[in-house]
Every structure is written in C-alpha cells, then in structure tokens.
Amino acid sequence: MPVEEFVAGWISGALGLVLGHPFDTVKLLGFFKGMSFPIASIAMVNSVLFGVYSNTLLALTATAHQERRAQPPSYIHVFIAGCTGGFVQVYCLAPFDLIKVRLQNQTEPRARPPGSPPPRYRGPVHCAVSIFQEEGPRGLFRGAWALTLRDTPTLGIYFVTYEWLCRQSTRDGQDPSPATVLVAGGFAGIASWAVATPLDVIKSRLQMAGLKRRAYRGVLDCMVSSARQEGLGVFFRGLTINSARAFPVNAVTFLSYEYLLRSWG
C-alpha cells in the first residue's frame, strides 16, 4: 500500500486547517479558539481520507497517482473511492469532531458574567474523559451516524468535482496547472458543503444533545423536530460561512497535496 498519499494528506490537512480554522469557529464562538487540538486530529483525518481514497482508486484502476493523468479513471471509480475514503474517515473523525464542537460551544472565560461557574471542560482530554464518564463509550460517537450520512456521498461528490474541473481545464495526459488545482479544489469544497450542510446541522445538534440535554431519538427525529420548531431554513444555517471557508481551505489542501506527491514522484 503506497504511504505517500497518507503523508501528503496529513501535511495538506494541517495547512488547510491553519487557513480555515478561524472560519470554522466564527460560526460558533471565538476565532482561533481550540486550534491546538484540531491541528493534529484534522491532519490525521485528512491523511486517512486522501490515503484511503488514493489506495482505493489504485485497487479499482491499477494506476498510481502519478499515472492518472495519462490513464484517467472513470468518474464512477472516483466516486466510489471518494465514498470509501469518506466512510473510513468518519470513524476516525467522530470523537475528535464531537470534542471540537463541545469545546467551541463553551463560553469564553472573559465573556462569562462575574460569579458564573467555570467552563464545563478544561481542555480536549478533560472533555473526552467527561463525555466517556457521563455518556459512556457511545457518547464519544454521538452524531456519528449523521456524520456517516454526511461524509460518505459528499466526499464522493468532492473528488468527482475536483477531477472533472481539472480535466476540463487541462490537456489530456498533462498535469493541471497550480491555478487549475486551486480553482478545482476550491469549487470541490463548495460543492461538497452545499450537499453536506443540512446533515452538518443535524450532526452538530446530536453532538450537543448530551451537553444541553436535548432528547433526540436519532437522526430522523432530530430532522423532524428541528424542521417543526424552526422551519426548513434551519438546514441551511451556516451554508454561507461553510462556503466561504471551503474555497480557500480546499484550494490550499489540494494544491499542497498535489505538489507534495509530484515532488516525491
């Protein structure tokens, strides 16, 4: 199994996170709040995504990354590989994503009124231990089913969009230019978030259920309850900031990923 895709995914994920973390927290509270924790976890998750994607595509087409411009895989194979990467990454991402959401939703110490109780969680490790003690092992995977529904097809669409845009702007057999990679990566990110945002809303609500004692019986119950109480518009809450974040983050992620693999090729 080629490992360079995992390494390139790790590095590109870290670079994308540095650029995108302020956008990610602006839709909640804080700006660079909680960055020390996700920079390692999201880099690992991105490593899994790109590594599994590339190796699945290799298994389906028998062509390595460096050979794919000369022998382009079918979009069906790209979609299957993307879905596989998305499915596998969910079970690496779920606990980290839950902890990140819980930490980001705490009130900043300086924003709390005098005399108010201290933050519920003192940091990522304390957050993980508290969830495990209060909600059991399954608590760390709260929202994982919604995350699976969000990421599996969405990441198939993500890689198909990227490949299609690269091929439209590049001569057969040639590598896409850096500008093409940036644009294709950026629009792939926007396309994936346009599909993912409704389930991202549900996923976040399920993750916060243990903290705020909301009683959702599952994904469907959360969807129905949210729509009844707040209307259908609730499922597109955060789409603007997600899209604003998606373009630069994924442009940088793909450019660094492609550059690293080419330089190691």
Side-chain angles (χ1 to χ4, degrees):
M1 175 185 290
V3 297
E4 61 266 25
E5 288 89 352
F6 289 94
V7 178
W10 183 291
I11 297 171
S12 63
L15 292 173
L17 175 69
V18 169
L19 182 62
H21 190 72
F23 289 98
D24 194 41
T25 52
V26 145
K27 63 183 179 184
L28 299 166
L29 293 172
F31 201 65
F32 279 98
K33 180 178 165 184
M35 185 159 185
S36 59
F37 171 67
I39 196 165
S41 59
I42 298 303
M44 183 195 74
V45 169
N46 205 70
S47 171
V48 171
L49 170 62
F50 278 85
V52 171
Y53 165 75
S54 192
N55 281 280
T56 301
L57 205 53
L58 175 62
L60 291 171
T61 64
T63 55
H65 184 88
Q66 292 81 359
E67 302 167 336
R68 286 178 198 150
R69 297 305 168 193
Q71 304 176 57
S74 71
Y75 291 120
I76 292 176
H77 285 154
V78 171
F79 181 75
I80 292 171
C83 289
T84 304
F87 180 82
V88 173
Q89 78 146 20
V90 162
Y91 292 93
C92 298
L93 172 64
F96 296 116
D97 191 64
L98 173 65
I99 293 166
K100 183 190 74 170
V101 169
R102 293 279 181 95
L103 291 174
Q104 286 175 336
N105 273 277
Q106 290 189 143
T107 305
E108 287 277 12
R110 59 178 174 273
R112 292 196 307 275
S116 61
R120 184 184 182 95
Y121 305 122
R122 297 190 297 270
V125 174
H126 181 250
C127 181
V129 172
S130 298
I131 293 170
F132 185 86
Q133 291 175 339
E134 296 168 10
E135 305 172 44
R138 292 180 62 185
L140 290 169
F141 290 87
R142 188 179 294 276
W145 180 231
L147 200 59
T148 302
L149 294 175
R150 186 195 77 175
D151 284 0
T152 302
T154 295
L155 287 162
I157 293 169
Y158 175 69
F159 283 107
V160 167
T161 303
Y162 172 74
E163 281 294 323
W164 183 79
L165 288 171
C166 282
R167 293 181 197 181
Q168 295 304 304
S169 306
T170 308
R171 291 182 179 179
D172 291 345
Q174 294 186 352
D175 289 328
S177 67
T180 295
V181 172
L182 283 169
V183 172
F187 278 108
I190 291 175
S192 64
W193 270 112
V195 175
T197 295
L199 276 165
D200 186 61
V201 172
I202 297 304
K203 180 269 301 180
S204 296
R205 291 185 172 214
L206 289 169
Q207 288 175 325
M208 294 304 297
L211 183 62
K212 297 183 178 178
R213 303 303 177 195
R214 286 178 179 162
Y216 297 128
R217 294 188 298 273
V219 173
L220 184 59
D221 180 57
C222 184
M223 292 176 69
V224 172
S225 298
S226 298
R228 282 177 178 170
Q229 294 171 15
E230 302 172 62
L232 294 176
V234 69
F235 298 120
F236 297 96
R237 190 170 293 169
L239 178 58
T240 301
I241 191 66
N242 283 338
S243 297
R245 172 189 183 276
F247 191 96
V249 168
N250 289 283
V252 168
T253 297
F254 269 108
L255 182 64
S256 54
Y257 176 76
E258 293 281 4
Y259 175 81
L260 287 167
L261 288 180
R262 290 180 198 175
S263 65
W264 297 337

